[in-house]
Amino acid sequence: MNSEEKRFLLRLARESISTHLRGQEVITSVPDNPVFQRKAGGFVTLHKNGNLRGCIGFVKAVDSVYNTVKRMAVAAATEDPRFPTVGVGELNDVSIEISILSEMNAVTNENEIVIGRDGLFIVKDFYSGLLLPQVAIEHNFDVETLLRETCIKAGLPKYSWKENGTKIFRFSAEIFSEREFCNNL
């Protein structure tokens, strides 16, 4: 994805949040660009004053990149159960980060996981949890810590990744944020 396409998605995310919070509907035509029309999983992460303010996404490719960013931006601002809804007055203090996910690859050995490249998705029984690739870097995790923290995120005991029946997937992501463009969108 080139810088103009990244800027477009960041503007789309901000506009989607802003218009939703004001009770309006986002009306934006999808550009005739295969980058926006391809299906991919994706997450929108919101930060305020350097702290997480919301993060929601699709693990799998259920919709186009365009629709995923549009929908997950609003969801990150209004549906993350860990935080109250972002207020219209605080939106200027919120920075947006977008992660477009690759396909999931099953992990058969923890040595396949590379910190900085891979995010993890862990599934066991009715539990699942995901940590994006940047989380391990931001928190200085090693591979075992990333596995444990992903289990905890799933609501599982921290060593569940070692148990039979636990499925571990790794993925990469194309990650970009407003900070990357110094809010010059």
Side-chain angles (χ1 to χ4, degrees), residues 44-184:
V44 174
T45 304
L46 307 178
H47 290 95
K48 182 178 175 185
N49 302 322
N51 297 310
L52 182 64
R53 184 61 179 85
C55 181
I56 292 190
F58 287 137
V59 174
K60 298 190 181 193
V62 297
D63 208 341
S64 68
V65 167
Y66 176 88
N67 285 331
T68 295
V69 168
K70 186 176 168 180
R71 291 172 60 191
M72 294 305 99
V74 171
T78 63
E79 297 175 24
D80 189 327
R82 299 170 293 180
F83 304 98
T85 296
V86 171
V88 174
E90 71 178 308
L91 191 53
N92 287 337
D93 298 326
V94 171
S95 66
I96 298 171
E97 177 179 87
I98 297 173
S99 302
I100 304 299
L101 279 51
S102 71
E103 291 185 23
M104 299 279 168
N105 297 296
V107 173
T108 56
N109 182 312
E110 63 266 20
N111 294 329
E112 300 171 24
I113 301 166
V114 176
I115 297 297
R117 178 193 72 188
D118 296 330
L120 296 182
F121 180 54
I122 291 182
V123 180
K124 184 172 184 184
D125 300 326
F126 299 105
Y127 298 92
S128 66
L130 178 141
L131 288 178
L132 295 167
Q134 59 268 42
V135 172
I137 299 294
E138 292 167 359
H139 297 283
N140 200 27
F141 290 167
D142 58 18
V143 171
E144 187 168 331
T145 304
L146 179 59
L147 284 159
R148 286 194 317 256
E149 292 298 321
T150 308
C151 287
I152 292 167
K153 179 83 181 279
L156 294 164
K158 63 183 174 182
Y159 291 105
S160 295
W161 64 274
K162 296 181 179 184
E163 298 173 0
N164 287 337
T166 301
K167 296 177 185 169
I168 305 168
F169 300 91
R170 65 180 172 82
F171 61 92
S172 61
E174 185 168 4
I175 304 160
F176 50 97
S177 70
E178 290 176 325
R179 292 174 295 211
E180 178 180 330
F181 296 103
C182 300
N183 292 325
N184 186 11

